[in-house]
C-alpha cells in the first residue's frame, strides 16, 4: 500500500523512512544523510527527499541534466547555485537548472536540512573536471566557497 501519511517521529525523521548515507562514500561530500519521503509509487513522476548536512559539512559539487527544487527547513548554510553563492535559511526556495553547478554547505555551528524534489527518471551527476574547476575558480567568491 502506498503510504499516505508519514508522521515526523523525531525532529526531521519520519516514520518508516530510513536515514541513509547521502551517496556512496567517495570523498566529495561530508556529513550528509538522505531520507526518501516520496517516490515513483506516488505517481507524480517526482521524488521528494530530505537531506541533512551536519555542521561544517557539504554536499558534492556536481551538475546534471535533471533539475532540483530545494527548500531548506532546518538550520542554515550557503550554496553555490550555477554562478552565485547564496545564503540559505528555512523556507527559502532554490531552483537548480539543468546543467547548473551546485553545492550545499551547512553553517559551521548548525546543520542544514532541506527538502529536494527531483524527477524519478534522471541522469547521473557529473563531477567537475580540472578544466571545470579552473572556470569556476576564476570567480574568487566561488573559489573560496567550493569543496572538492
Ligand atoms: Mn544534484
Amino acid at each position: 500500500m502506498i503510504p499516505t501519511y508519514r508522521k515526523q517521529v523525531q525532529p526531521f525523521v519520519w516514520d518508516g523512512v530510513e536515514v541513509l548515507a547521502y551517496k556512496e562514500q567517495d570523498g566529495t561530500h561530508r556529513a550528509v544523510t538522505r531520507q526518501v519521503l516520496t517516490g515513483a509509487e506516488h505517481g507524480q513522476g517526482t521524488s521528494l527527499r530530505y537531506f541533512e548536512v551536519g555542521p561544517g559539512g557539504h554536499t558534492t559539487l556536481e551538475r546534471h541534466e535533471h533539475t532540483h527544487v530545494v527548500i531548506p527547513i532546518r538550520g542554515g548554510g550557503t550554496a553555490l547555485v550555477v554562478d552565485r553563492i547564496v545564503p540559505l535559511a528555512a523556507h527559502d526556495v532554490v531552483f537548480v537548472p539543468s546543467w547548473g553547478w551546485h553545492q550545499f554547505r551547512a553553517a559551521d555551528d548548525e546543520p542544514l536540512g532541506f527538502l529536494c524534489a527531483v524527477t524519478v527518471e534522471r541522469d547521473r551527476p557529473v563531477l567537475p573536471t580540472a578544466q571545470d574547476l579552473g572556470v569556476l575558480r576564476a570567480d574568487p567568491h566561488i573559489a573560496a566557497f567550493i569543496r572538492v
Side-chain angles (χ1 to χ4, degrees), residues 17-100:
V17 180
E18 203 177 351
V19 180
L20 303 165
Y22 166 56
K23 54 176 72 161
E24 69 281 1
Q25 202 59 45
D26 65 1
T28 64
H29 51 89
R30 183 176 164 205
V32 189
T33 60
R34 171 170 61 98
Q35 294 176 76
V36 179
L37 305 178
T38 70
E41 69 276 21
H42 293 89
Q44 295 196 298
T46 62
S47 176
L48 185 65
R49 299 89 48 82
Y50 174 74
F51 293 95
E52 193 164 300
V53 185
H58 59 84
T59 63
T60 302
L61 173 61
E62 64 180 29
R63 65 177 181 169
H64 34 66
E65 183 176 30
H66 66 273
T67 61
H68 293 308
V69 173
V70 170
I71 302 179
I73 60 172
R74 181 180 208 176
T78 314
L80 168 68
V81 183
V82 187
D83 57 359
R84 294 179 64 197
I85 308 294
V86 297
L88 297 177
H91 310 154
D92 290 344
V93 179
V94 174
F95 176 66
V96 177
S98 190
W99 295 112

Side-chain angles (χ1 to χ4, degrees), residues 1-5 41-42:
M1 200 173 116
I2 300 165
T4 55
Y5 174 70
E41 69 276 21
H42 293 89

Side-chain angles (χ1 to χ4, degrees), residues 53-57 74-78 88 105-112:
V53 185
R74 181 180 208 176
T78 314
L88 297 177
R105 283 177 53 191
D108 288 333
D109 58 352
E110 61 180 347
L112 172 65

